């Protein structure tokens, strides 16, 4: 990480901010890794430590059983808000179970489940949304409210944007004006979700919804031929065209709508696992989580139309993350022990060009001041009050 970042400083004649003092850095890494400030005792323990205390603290926060629950809870909250929104599951008309989504994510982060496996499970999941229900599978809460509405348009755009950094939502009705995305590509990707439905399950003898269930079922296509299950879409000039399931890299799958012959979402999950964009998107997202800015703006829009600030580093980290078997704790370790993460927040004459708040590409020559999230503030208040 350090060499490409330092090369950028040299190119722009930047002298980076001085290194943050130990107490400041300790507070930063506690907030970023487990979602709260350190207690007085934890700070004292860190400052009294001999040797490479920063590396030891990162290792402790990620691997010590004392912090497993907090680590899992913090990242489950981050990803729940990303996948279903801050209010997802709170509307009684929603089929989403916020508790079910959080339970799935907490369990996944607690066992350090590989990131690619998490994504595959979220994209391909079937089962019930609510903990305690028969066939419970919390991963279905990502798609349960997205597949039934408007021909699974929201499922298409959310999956592509969140996991691949490909913003296809604009191409539902027309070709994208700024990138390579065409309307045809949107409906080809959308075709992968057409075998999926969300069903409401009611409390016995009432009209009250108990939970919802995501199922895979045969899809007859819009020409009512399940052996050739096509999707129609309309161009802006009124011409009707046809789409079949084709991944964003051009890989096509079988056109049958019979689940027994081809499970389209499982095929989509398999193709996503092979995509380099899966690797680059999570690296970009995690980098932004720890620095406040990613390599691109917005972070979930990757491609030649939106150049990265450090394209070689983004590519390198994506490849190395794949080699690490998608170990999120390893990625966190790389980021938190890198030189740019150690820096103070000083903005001076020697690095004044490094100011993303005025539209400059980030150079990561200092720590960018960030607000706590609501959850970080709440947990930090409990810690400060020794509650």
């Amino acid at each position: 990480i350090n060499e490409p970042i330092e090369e950028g400083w040299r190119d722009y004649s930047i002298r980076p901010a001085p290194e943050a003092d130990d107490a400041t850095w300790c507070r930063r890494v506690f907030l970023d890794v487990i979602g709260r400030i350190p207690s007085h005792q934890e700070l004292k323990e860190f400052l009294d430590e001999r040797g490479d205390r920063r590396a030891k603290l990162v290792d402790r926060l990620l691997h010590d059983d004392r912090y497993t629950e907090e680590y899992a809870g913090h990242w489950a909250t981050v990803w729940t808000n990303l996948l279903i929104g801050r209010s997802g599951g709170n509307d009684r008309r929603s089929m989403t179970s916020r508790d079910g989504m959080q339970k799935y994510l907490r369990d996944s982060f607690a066992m350090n489940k590989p990131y690619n496996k998490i994504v595959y499970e979220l994209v391909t999941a079937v089962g019930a949304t609510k903990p305690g229900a028969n066939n419970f599978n919390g991963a279905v809460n990502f798609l349960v409210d997205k597949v039934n509405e408007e021909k699974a348009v929201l499922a298409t755009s959310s999956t592509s944007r969140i996991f691949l950094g490909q913003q296809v939502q604009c191409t539902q009705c027309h070709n994208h004006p700024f990138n390579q995305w065409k309307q045809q590509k949107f409906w080809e990707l959308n075709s992968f979700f057409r075998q999926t439905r969300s069903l409401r399950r009611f409390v016995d003898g009432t009209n009250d919804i108990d939970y919802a269930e995501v199922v895979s079922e045969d899809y007859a296509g819009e020409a009512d031929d399940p052996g050739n299950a096509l999707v129609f879409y309309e161009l802006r000039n009124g011409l009707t065209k046809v789409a079949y399931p084709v991944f964003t890299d051009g890989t096509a799958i079988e056109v049958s709508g019979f689940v027994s012959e081809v499970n389209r979402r499982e095929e989509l999950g398999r193709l996503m696992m092979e995509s380099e964009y899966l690797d680059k998107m999570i690296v970009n997202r995690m980098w932004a989580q720890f620095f406040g800015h990613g390599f691109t703006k917005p972070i979930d829009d990757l491609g030649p139309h939106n150049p990265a600030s450090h394209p070689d580093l983004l590519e390198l980290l994506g490849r190395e993350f794949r080699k690490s078997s998608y170990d999120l704790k390893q990625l966190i370790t790389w980021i938190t022990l890198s030189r740019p993460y150690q820096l103070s927040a000083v903005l001076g004459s020697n690095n004044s060009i490094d100011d993303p708040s005025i539209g400059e590409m980030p150079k990561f020559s200092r720590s960018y001041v960030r607000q706590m999230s609501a959850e970080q503030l709440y947990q930090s208040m409990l810690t400060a009050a020794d509650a």
Side-chain angles (χ1 to χ4, degrees):
I1 291 175
N2 294 346
E3 177 53 36
I5 296 291
E6 291 169 1
E7 182 179 345
W9 298 342
R10 292 190 293 269
D11 290 343
Y12 286 96
S13 300
I14 288 174
R15 187 186 306 165
E19 187 175 285
D21 63 79
D22 281 335
T24 299
W25 183 88
C26 179
R27 176 184 182 276
R28 180 186 302 167
V29 79
F30 261 84
L31 280 166
D32 286 341
V33 176
I34 64 170
R36 63 167 174 84
I37 61 172
S39 67
H40 180 270
Q41 180 58 38
E42 287 168 329
L43 178 59
K44 183 177 184 301
E45 179 184 346
F46 169 68
L47 295 175
D48 289 344
E49 186 132 40
R50 297 184 180 277
D52 191 350
R53 59 166 66 104
R54 296 191 179 190
K56 290 178 180 177
L57 177 58
V58 170
D59 184 72
R60 193 156 58 243
L61 291 176
L62 292 174
H63 301 290
D64 193 308
D65 289 344
R66 289 180 293 170
Y67 296 107
T68 298
E69 185 175 344
E70 289 182 284
Y71 169 84
H74 169 60
W75 288 102
T77 297
V78 169
W79 278 89
T80 295
N81 292 339
L82 173 65
L83 295 172
I84 64 173
R86 284 189 172 272
S87 61
N90 293 329
D91 187 335
R92 59 186 183 141
R93 294 169 297 179
S94 170
M95 290 190 285
T96 301
S97 166
R98 194 171 189 85
D99 289 342
M101 185 83 269
Q102 289 183 317
K103 175 172 172 47
Y104 167 77
L105 291 168
R106 276 196 308 271
D107 291 348
S108 297
F109 288 117
M111 67 177 67
N112 198 30
K113 184 181 293 183
Y115 172 74
N116 61 333
K117 186 175 181 181
I118 294 175
V119 174
Y120 184 84
E121 290 174 352
L122 289 167
V123 171
T124 64
V126 294
T129 56
K130 179 181 171 183
N134 290 333
N135 198 28
F136 167 67
N137 181 358
V140 300
N141 285 288
F142 168 56
L143 289 177
V144 66
D145 263 340
K146 299 180 177 72
V147 291
N148 279 8
E149 296 184 12
E150 299 183 43
K151 300 181 179 181
V153 164
L154 187 55
T156 307
S157 59
S158 296
T159 299
S160 178
R161 176 181 58 82
I162 292 172
F163 302 122
L164 300 175
Q166 298 176 337
Q167 299 217 13
V168 302
Q169 60 271 21
C170 292
T171 60
Q172 175 188 351
C173 303
H174 54 79
N175 293 337
H176 201 289
F178 305 123
N179 64 32
Q180 74 275 21
W181 275 96
K182 306 299 181 185
Q183 191 178 1
Q184 175 82 13
K185 286 288 187 185
F186 178 90
W187 292 105
E188 288 173 344
L189 187 61
N190 173 266
S191 299
F192 284 95
F193 294 95
R194 292 305 187 93
Q195 292 173 323
T196 309
R197 285 189 63 199
S198 299
L199 306 174
R200 291 178 171 85
R201 304 303 188 191
F202 297 90
V203 178
D204 289 343
T206 75
N207 291 323
D208 297 330
I209 299 173
D210 188 15
Y211 61 91
E213 188 172 2
V214 173
V215 299
S216 294
E217 59 181 30
D218 294 341
Y219 174 59
E222 294 181 346
D224 200 25
D225 178 6
N228 184 32
L230 54 81
V231 168
F232 292 126
Y233 69 95
E234 188 174 296
L235 300 179
R236 297 183 76 176
N237 62 8
L239 182 67
T240 298
K241 297 199 72 176
V242 170
Y244 292 102
V246 179
F247 191 55
T248 58
D249 65 359
T251 302
I253 66 168
E254 294 295 325
V255 300
S256 172
F258 290 111
V259 176
S260 60
E261 295 181 359
V262 56
N263 186 310
R264 293 187 175 189
R265 270 197 302 142
E266 289 184 0
E267 288 299 301
L268 174 61
R270 178 184 62 80
L271 291 166
M272 288 175 65
M273 296 305 99
E274 299 171 2
S275 173
E276 64 175 326
Y277 282 98
L278 179 77
D279 314 343
K280 292 194 287 189
M281 184 59 241
I282 182 58
V283 164
N284 205 28
R285 185 179 301 285
M286 292 295 284
W287 188 274
Q289 189 72 27
F290 283 84
F291 285 93
H293 295 275
F295 298 114
T296 63
K297 185 177 181 180
I299 61 169
D300 50 9
D301 189 11
L302 303 178
H305 63 285
N306 189 25
S309 61
H310 298 77
D312 293 340
L313 179 55
L314 180 58
E315 294 273 356
L316 172 65
L317 281 174
R319 290 195 304 269
E320 292 301 315
F321 185 53
R322 181 178 283 262
K323 289 179 185 177
S324 78
S325 300
Y326 293 93
D327 185 343
L328 285 166
K329 290 187 176 182
Q330 182 64 72
L331 180 58
I332 291 172
T333 300
W334 293 338
I335 292 173
T336 53
L337 296 183
S338 68
R339 185 182 176 194
Y341 189 79
Q342 315 298 314
L343 301 177
S344 67
V346 175
L347 177 63
S349 59
N350 294 318
N351 65 347
S352 58
I353 192 175
D354 189 6
D355 191 355
S357 68
I358 62 173
E360 292 288 339
M361 292 284 269
K363 314 297 189 298
F364 307 106
S365 68
R366 62 188 179 91
S367 175
Y368 305 116
V369 177
R370 294 171 279 152
Q371 286 185 324
M372 287 188 191
S373 68
E375 294 84 3
Q376 286 173 322
L377 179 59
Y378 176 73
Q379 294 299 332
S380 295
M381 290 175 67
L382 292 180
T383 300
D386 196 24

